[in-house]
Amino acid sequence: MTSLIAWVGIDSRGQTSAYLASDSRVSWGKLASWDTGGKLFASSSFPEIFGYCGDVTFPSQILPHTIEQIDSNLLIQKEDTIDNKITKIFHNIQKDFQNYPERFNKGFEILYFSRENCGMATKFHLSKFKWNHSTKWQIENIPLPQQSGLVNYTGSGANSIFQWYRRWQNTEIEGTSRAVFSAFCDSINSGEDPCTGGAPQLVGLYRKGAGKRFGIIHDRKRYINGKLIEQNENINTVEWRNCLFERCDGQSMEVLHNAQRQPKPSRLI
């Protein structure tokens, strides 16, 4: 399993951002684990981002193919409505699952964030595609709140996520994106769910542009989608965040000079 969350950022003018975050651990029951599993995907051409939890094999294979088709203009079009995009992507994933040996799949969930319009007319949409042996395929359109906050949390680490989120919501920074992401990082670091671990992963959408993949500073190391990134001259072509959601310089791994500091709340319990 894993830990997977979705949330939105909202200011006085409306929706500003949408994010998915995950851990990086792939587990084989109690036998072994590997903390370099990519679980989040972002289109470089369209405002579409995806994440999965549950049985790894099918979603980890189909989502890169889905992104490739999207970026090649083979699956959705710029003029498609949200409903059209959801239908096309859902049916495409279903079709590829038809020949998959179901007895080897324990079930999975895919979260899919998209954006309608851009700028001040932005409206984000979140859908969940689910498959399990009992109910087979299901699709759920998840309503978004009127203020910044957690929208959906799932996976084997769901209970730990919720408890840490409650703690951060009892501080002076409740109702902010950084409270959500920081709570999620604390949940991973707590070790409360043995199937959750490794570096946090983060993808997002803003009011303009395509999907965005973020680099994460974790334990004084750089990671993108769970993979350790060594120092190089192009390191700052990626936007970097730490576990307090502060914007960081990829070279020094310190908070950017012009970035707003986001200290840990004094009332965190």
Side-chain angles (χ1 to χ4, degrees), residues 56-269:
V56 170
T57 308
F58 178 76
S60 69
Q61 295 300 309
I62 197 59
L63 290 178
H65 292 318
T66 302
I67 289 294
E68 184 176 25
Q69 287 179 282
I70 289 172
D71 287 343
S72 300
N73 292 300
L74 297 175
L75 183 53
I76 59 175
Q77 305 300 318
K78 300 287 186 183
E79 61 270 18
D80 280 342
T81 65
I82 287 292
D83 287 342
N84 284 343
K85 288 198 289 185
I86 293 171
T87 298
K88 287 180 178 180
I89 290 169
F90 182 54
H91 287 170
N92 189 65
I93 292 173
Q94 279 186 305
K95 181 179 178 181
D96 285 330
F97 190 72
Q98 287 177 358
N99 296 320
Y100 193 89
E102 291 186 5
R103 68 182 184 276
F104 295 118
N105 197 300
K106 297 178 181 178
F108 56 86
E109 298 180 4
I110 295 172
L111 289 181
Y112 164 43
F113 249 131
S114 185
R115 187 188 68 230
E116 182 179 12
N117 304 321
C118 61
M120 300 309 297
T122 286
K123 187 175 182 181
F124 296 112
H125 294 263
L126 178 62
S127 298
K128 180 184 287 188
F129 308 151
K130 299 189 290 185
W131 185 90
N132 59 56
H133 287 281
S134 311
T135 59
K136 302 303 180 182
W137 280 105
Q138 292 179 294
I139 184 169
E140 177 185 356
N141 292 316
I142 300 172
L144 302 183
Q146 298 301 309
Q147 64 178 20
S148 299
L150 188 64
V151 178
N152 194 266
Y153 58 98
T154 189
S156 55
N159 183 64
S160 176
I161 294 167
F162 179 69
Q163 296 303 326
W164 280 101
Y165 180 66
R166 284 182 61 188
R167 294 174 195 173
W168 278 81
Q169 288 302 100
N170 286 326
T171 71
E172 61 271 25
I173 65 164
E174 64 174 320
T176 62
S177 282
R178 64 187 177 108
V180 180
F181 187 66
S182 297
F184 181 72
C185 292
D186 279 350
S187 174
I188 295 176
N189 293 333
S190 73
E192 293 167 354
D193 173 39
C195 294
T196 295
Q201 302 179 18
L202 179 67
V203 294
L205 298 172
Y206 290 151
R207 281 175 168 156
K208 295 181 180 180
K212 192 174 185 67
R213 185 181 303 284
F214 295 84
I216 298 295
I217 307 298
H218 174 69
D219 288 343
R220 294 298 299 170
K221 296 178 182 177
R222 308 172 193 84
Y223 296 86
I224 296 178
N225 215 21
K227 179 174 174 55
L228 181 67
I229 304 298
E230 302 294 344
Q231 177 76 282
N232 69 74
E233 61 183 11
N234 296 316
I235 202 81
N236 280 319
T237 59
V238 175
E239 184 175 333
W240 294 88
R241 299 291 180 107
N242 62 19
C243 285
L244 292 173
F245 213 54
E246 296 170 313
R247 293 169 54 237
C248 295
D249 179 87
Q251 299 282 3
S252 67
M253 296 186 282
E254 302 294 336
V255 178
L256 289 168
H257 293 301
N258 62 344
Q260 183 177 354
R261 294 277 176 168
Q262 313 280 18
K264 206 157 190 173
S266 57
R267 299 205 313 268
L268 186 63
I269 58 174

Side-chain angles (χ1 to χ4, degrees), residues 27-33:
S27 302
W28 290 265
K30 296 181 179 179
L31 299 176
S33 62

